[in-house]
Amino acid sequence: MKIKNRSKPLPLRKLDVIIPRLSSQFPRFTEIKEDAKRQGRGYSGEMKVDYYLESLASRYTLLDDVYLHINGKNFQIDSLVVANHAIFIVDAKHYMGTITFDPILKQLIRNDGNIESGFEYPITQVENQKFHLHNWLLKHKLAHIPIYYFIAVADPSTIIKVDGNREEISKVVAHASRVPGMIMEKDQELAQAGKAKIQDYKVGKMILRECGVYDMNIMKQYGITCGELLPGVFCPECGMRGMKRIHGGWICKNCRQKSHNAHLKDIYGYVLLNGSITNTECMWFLGLTSRSTATRILQKSDLIYLKKYKYWVKNPKTC
Ligand SMILES: [Zn+2]
């Protein structure tokens, strides 16, 4: 069964809030947009791989997006399959065109039809994850569990090439649709070799309990200050920023669409970026002129008010 599901990574959710509110004149605007695109591609690749791994949920314990801490370091694994005799790390790779594994120089070359680019060698990356996971298991007295890994190429149209020993690479790299079969085969092989059976659900639960959430201060990373974000409520119909407040709701100056709660997404976005929102910040961010309207809006939202600090934060139970 799957005991941990994937959700959109927090850094990517933050970029989704920032980008539409950033002036195209912002010095690092292009870089930010490129980073968001790359992260979005990674996320959609992981979801494609999830689709195939799902078929293992009836026999093994599955966890998406595992983020653990060991020896002062955090490490992240796209998907973890706790099978009957081993743990399998599945690393999703989403590349378009042709990818070439060079096992001698340990590099990955992607050719999208026009440009050739180099990437960090996926096998080195996943070997590192295996190393950290082994240490983690050691700390939790589970070091007897063998760890294997697979690199799942998310898109079936990606052409995989090898500049060297193809057979060696083909043992750990495959299109995502083949990975569940490879995991089952390896697990059965271990059973036949007389390896001890592990309590997959119990081990999975132990990992789940220790899982953190990967986050990043995106504003700081790109040197964005709050004042550089363009304020205003986005129209849910046409996407234009700067809806006008009318009695009990909003109206779009562009398409005349009316909405009662178009502002909610915006205030939750603000809290996602900054951790909290004050009444004054809310007035500025939504383009309100009335303090009492801002208060009413915040009171009706799912946020909770911390009297001591005079600001609103997200309610962990609801948003
Ligand atoms: Zn509109």
Side-chain angles (χ1 to χ4, degrees):
M1 103 188 249
K2 186 180 267 194
I3 57 170
K4 186 175 187 292
N5 284 301
R6 189 178 310 284
S7 56
K8 199 171 197 175
L10 282 173
L12 187 54
R13 283 176 54 201
K14 289 180 178 180
L15 286 170
D16 287 347
V17 176
I18 292 170
I19 290 168
R21 294 191 178 273
L22 217 49
S23 153
S24 57
Q25 303 303 311
F26 186 78
R28 295 174 75 181
F29 186 68
T30 318
E31 181 195 345
I32 295 172
K33 269 181 80 171
E34 279 304 312
D35 284 354
K37 220 164 104 182
R38 188 176 41 76
Q39 286 182 36
R41 223 171 15 235
Y43 178 54
S44 82
E46 287 158 15
M47 287 194 297
K48 280 185 188 176
V49 174
D50 291 346
Y51 169 79
Y52 293 106
L53 292 182
E54 204 70 50
S55 64
L56 297 173
S58 58
R59 55 173 79 204
Y60 303 140
T61 301
L62 271 58
L63 294 95
D64 289 341
D65 199 14
V66 169
Y67 189 64
L68 295 169
H69 185 88
I70 185 78
N71 301 337
K73 273 202 174 107
N74 293 310
F75 66 102
Q76 191 254 335
I77 291 169
D78 290 343
S79 308
L80 211 58
V81 178
V82 188
N84 293 332
H85 303 86
I87 294 182
F88 294 88
I89 295 172
V90 181
D91 194 43
K93 289 290 169 211
H94 202 197
Y95 296 111
M96 293 298 162
T98 303
I99 51 170
T100 307
F101 285 80
D102 179 344
I104 314 288
L105 296 173
K106 304 219 179 297
Q107 60 181 352
L108 181 84
I109 301 149
R110 195 268 319 263
N111 191 320
D112 67 357
N114 297 309
I115 305 166
E116 215 171 59
S117 339
F119 293 90
E120 201 184 330
Y121 198 51
I123 297 175
T124 310
Q125 285 179 327
V126 81
E127 281 278 0
N128 280 334
Q129 293 170 10
K130 182 182 167 181
F131 171 76
H132 291 311
L133 183 62
H134 175 76
N135 284 337
W136 190 91
L137 292 174
L138 194 67
K139 192 185 161 194
H140 293 83
K141 302 190 170 39
L142 296 167
H144 58 281
I145 303 175
I147 306 168
Y148 296 90
Y149 58 75
F150 290 106
I151 288 152
V153 177
D155 204 294
S157 68
T158 304
I159 299 164
I160 308 167
K161 286 187 176 175
V162 180
D163 191 1
N165 190 336
R166 294 183 78 199
E167 210 184 321
E168 210 49 45
I169 296 293
S170 73
K171 284 180 189 159
V172 290
V173 177
H175 282 113
S177 60
R178 287 187 55 225
V179 172
M182 291 166 93
I183 290 176
M184 284 191 289
E185 201 179 307
K186 185 74 202 172
D187 198 47
Q188 273 153 22
E189 199 184 289
L190 293 168
Q192 278 156 14
K195 295 281 177 206
K197 208 162 184 259
I198 57 173
Q199 290 175 290
D200 59 293
Y201 183 73
K202 205 174 153 194
V203 172
K205 277 283 186 188
M206 270 183 83
I207 296 170
L208 180 66
R209 262 199 305 274
E210 299 275 320
C211 266
V213 182
Y214 175 64
D215 197 8
M216 210 182 222
N217 189 338
I218 296 286
M219 300 279 276
K220 199 173 159 195
Q221 196 200 342
Y222 294 107
I224 307 166
T225 56
C226 223
E228 279 166 312
L229 297 177
L230 303 168
V233 172
F234 281 96
C235 168
E237 185 64 24
C238 73
M240 179 111 158
R241 183 175 49 84
M243 291 186 95
K244 191 175 177 287
R245 183 75 191 170
I246 49 167
H247 183 71
W250 304 88
I251 187 161
C252 176
K253 294 174 202 162
N254 183 45
C255 71
R256 310 307 293 168
Q257 172 78 21
K258 284 182 186 170
S259 167
H260 286 300
N261 49 17
H263 60 279
L264 284 177
K265 199 168 161 273
D266 301 295
I267 50 172
Y268 296 150
Y270 188 95
V271 174
L272 180 70
L273 294 180
N274 300 291
S276 64
I277 190 165
T278 64
N279 196 300
T280 312
E281 286 163 349
C282 177
M283 279 176 71
W284 166 73
F285 201 59
L286 302 185
L288 296 168
T289 47
S290 151
R291 210 176 161 77
S292 56
T293 307
T295 307
R296 215 165 40 246
I297 274 177
L298 288 166
Q299 277 166 349
K300 279 190 180 169
S301 75
D302 279 332
L303 300 173
I304 45 175
Y305 186 60
L306 299 183
K307 213 171 175 181
K308 189 177 163 193
Y309 303 104
K310 291 187 175 148
Y311 59 49
W312 300 75
V313 292
K314 81 169 194 176
N315 182 344
K317 284 185 198 139
T318 54
C319 55

